[in-house]
Amino acid sequence: MVSSGSIEATRAGVAILEQGGNAIDAAVATALALGISDPGGSGLGGMTYMLISFADGGAVAIDGSTPAPLASDPQKLLALKEAEQPFGYAAVSVPTTLATLEHARERYGTMELGRLLAPAIELAEDGYRLSPNSIAWARGYLDEILDSRYMRFLVLDRGARLGQPGQLFCRPDLLETYRQIAAYGPEVFYRGAIADRIAADMAENGGFVRKGDLALYRAAEKHPLRARYRDAEIIAFPPPGGGPEVDATLKILENFPSAALAEPTVERLHLLIEAYRIAHADNQSSVMGSGRYPIGSLEFLSDRHARQRAELITPGRAIPESELRISADISVMGDFT
């Protein structure tokens, strides 16, 4: 089975499976096709996490976290944050998607990269149909898109309009980029001609990414988080991914009868929302080193802590933000995975 946010990308993955590729081949082909048909949610300029579960029960997390460029100016970045302008060249970090996908393909796939790029290249050349989702995404970021000399023509019809569902879009720039990667491999993106163009564009427009940043990047493998929810085993992406929030949410929900979660009711939605709000607050406390947690600690993933936090959930009442913060009298030590 293949699932993605774009019907064209899903078909690309299915085609690779039908050609004899394995799940990793299909996932890589799907992700590359998403870079064409779902530019708001995927692309070579972004970052990628991959969580792989093997038939023998093993699993691996491929961490494609994007590092800050070596030449980054912290003061300038803080000024952009304070001005609530987290977009533009200065905010760009090192792109990791292609390196992550290639790591997965090389270690666990069976097909050559050029073959996995073929469906995406066909989409870029022949076009794909705009979906209501892609239009909604563009509407949400319309001001930022219009401010970009390049993005507006990549995303909008004639650089000005959102377009209509079903309208055909082609990607001539990405077509050439994908063809170069198919011909020369990821090296051209991280150390070759494409890297030269990225670095020159960054330097000209106030960005910090340089060719050295691209050349140095490598994806890394990590052990996934493993936990249990009732009778099910949960395998989730470790920090800095969202696995701790998934695990913490499920641990909180275990404190409520399964019947309360079985029907599509307002009460069920309330439980899901509040459990996640608590888990998100706890994870943020860990990430930022605030509250009772040292930075990076997973101590909030204990069953005892989950029971204490579940007591905050009251039917018909949204938990105030002040109560979501960790208080000093909450114990976070215990049996965590």
Side-chain angles (χ1 to χ4, degrees):
M1 183 176 72
V2 178
S3 177
S4 80
S6 156
I7 189 170
E8 292 91 351
T10 297
R11 287 171 177 161
V14 170
I16 292 299
L17 290 176
E18 290 174 342
Q19 293 169 29
N22 67 10
I24 305 306
D25 298 319
V28 171
T30 302
L32 292 167
L34 278 170
I36 303 295
S37 59
D38 184 25
S42 187
L44 297 179
M47 60 173 271
T48 291
Y49 294 149
M50 290 191 72
L51 185 62
I52 304 171
S53 178
F54 301 105
D56 63 3
V60 65
I62 304 178
D63 186 354
S65 296
T66 173
L70 295 173
S72 295
D73 182 343
Q75 296 303 318
K76 184 172 183 180
L77 293 174
L78 284 172
L80 288 173
K81 180 182 177 182
E82 291 170 359
E84 298 184 353
Q85 294 178 343
F87 299 98
Y89 279 87
V92 174
S93 53
V94 181
T96 69
T97 287
L98 183 59
T100 306
L101 296 176
E102 175 62 4
H103 179 99
R105 184 204 67 80
E106 196 171 48
R107 290 289 303 274
Y108 305 110
T110 66
M111 291 183 169
E112 294 299 314
L113 182 60
R115 189 170 180 182
L116 302 183
L117 275 163
I121 289 172
E122 183 178 346
L123 271 179
E125 186 169 24
D126 297 341
Y128 68 95
R129 301 290 177 181
L130 280 183
S131 70
N133 270 353
S134 62
I135 294 170
W137 169 83
R139 182 178 290 110
Y141 289 96
L142 188 58
D143 290 341
E144 290 82 5
I145 293 168
L146 288 170
D147 283 343
S148 170
R149 297 191 305 272
Y150 181 78
M151 282 292 294
R152 63 185 301 162
F153 289 99
L154 182 69
V155 175
L156 302 177
D157 180 23
R158 304 180 193 277
R161 295 187 293 273
L162 287 169
Q164 298 295 321
Q167 186 175 347
L168 190 68
F169 256 59
C170 296
R171 296 282 183 237
D173 284 3
L174 280 174
L175 172 63
E176 179 56 30
T177 298
Y178 274 37
R179 279 176 171 168
Q180 288 186 49
I181 295 169
Y184 304 109
E187 287 286 316
V188 73
F189 186 90
Y190 286 99
R191 297 169 188 84
I194 297 175
D196 289 332
R197 291 175 59 193
I198 292 172
D201 186 46
M202 286 282 155
E204 182 181 347
N205 292 281
F208 298 118
V209 177
R210 298 293 182 265
K211 194 172 180 180
D213 297 305
L214 296 164
L216 287 170
Y217 184 74
R218 300 289 187 279
E221 293 194 2
K222 293 184 174 182
H223 294 293
L225 285 180
R226 289 182 179 267
R228 297 205 66 81
Y229 173 69
R230 304 186 196 270
D231 295 328
E233 182 186 21
I234 306 300
I235 302 174
F237 206 94
E245 293 190 10
V246 173
D247 188 1
T249 301
L250 294 175
K251 277 182 164 59
I252 292 168
L253 291 173
E254 274 194 307
N255 290 280
F256 298 90
S258 57
L261 298 162
E263 300 297 331
T265 63
V266 171
E267 290 75 18
R268 174 182 180 270
L269 286 175
H270 179 253
L271 275 178
L272 295 176
I273 292 167
E274 294 296 75
Y276 174 73
R277 290 182 65 217
I278 295 170
H280 178 70
D282 287 356
N283 190 51
Q284 287 298 104
S285 293
S286 171
V287 170
M288 303 303 294
S290 57
R292 288 285 303 274
Y293 310 133
I295 293 176
S297 167
L298 295 183
E299 292 175 0
F300 68 95
L301 297 183
S302 73
D303 291 336
R304 179 182 178 186
H305 179 69
R307 286 193 296 271
Q308 290 176 307
R309 297 293 267 164
E311 293 175 0
L312 290 175
I313 301 177
T314 303
R317 169 185 176 268
I319 304 169
E321 289 293 328
S322 60
E323 293 184 26
L324 289 175
R325 294 194 292 269
I326 302 299
S327 61
D329 61 346
I330 288 181
S331 170
V332 296
M333 301 302 293
D335 49 329
F336 58 91
T337 301

